[in-house]
Amino acid sequence: MVDWRDGVAGSLSGILTRFSVAPLDVVKIRLQLQQVTATTGANAGTVPEKLSVLNANWRYRGIFQSAALIAREEGLLALWKGNLAAELLWGSYMGIQFPIYKALQARAGGGSGARPM
């Protein structure tokens, strides 16, 4: 039988996990989607077709620098932008996964004291 407390525990763990990693996700996405502009030559300030990585002006340069820049310019809560939908996804996913895992474990004979699957 499925215990509702497993579902609640799963949901809470999913929500807490997503809340914890949300700032890293925001920074990762900003690093991936940033546009690069040329810093020297005739194309300075533009995005030319061919741009050398060494000759570029990167706005976001690393995890800590990016997080600090986002927090300074947009406020600390900007590190959790767009997090609500992901929270709902992770909460429902883990709320289903935990009880199913426990039920399968019990059905496979993995009751208390037995080695987990």
Side-chain angles (χ1 to χ4, degrees):
M1 181 170 184
V2 176
D3 188 1
W4 64 270
R5 291 175 291 195
D6 293 331
V8 172
S11 291
L12 290 176
S13 71
I15 290 168
L16 241 103
T17 300
R18 178 58 201 171
F19 184 80
S20 303
V21 300
L24 294 174
D25 200 33
V26 168
V27 168
K28 175 198 69 150
I29 291 169
R30 298 276 181 105
L31 284 165
Q32 289 174 333
L33 297 179
Q34 70 181 322
Q35 289 188 349
V36 182
T37 56
T39 56
T40 60
N43 294 326
T46 65
V47 182
E49 275 185 41
K50 294 181 180 178
L51 180 64
S52 166
V53 175
L54 300 175
N55 194 23
N57 184 18
W58 298 94
R59 179 170 171 78
Y60 302 111
R61 293 182 300 275
I63 295 172
F64 298 113
Q65 181 269 343
S66 300
L69 183 64
I70 292 168
R72 185 171 49 251
E73 290 183 350
E74 302 174 41
L76 191 60
L77 291 179
L79 291 169
W80 283 271
K81 273 186 181 176
N83 195 40
L84 179 61
E87 291 278 350
L88 294 173
L89 173 73
W90 277 74
S92 61
Y93 166 73
M94 296 300 285
I96 293 168
Q97 183 186 14
F98 267 42
I100 288 176
Y101 177 79
K102 291 274 284 217
L104 290 174
Q105 187 179 28
R107 185 162 242 194
S112 63
R115 197 178 89 210
M117 281 205 234

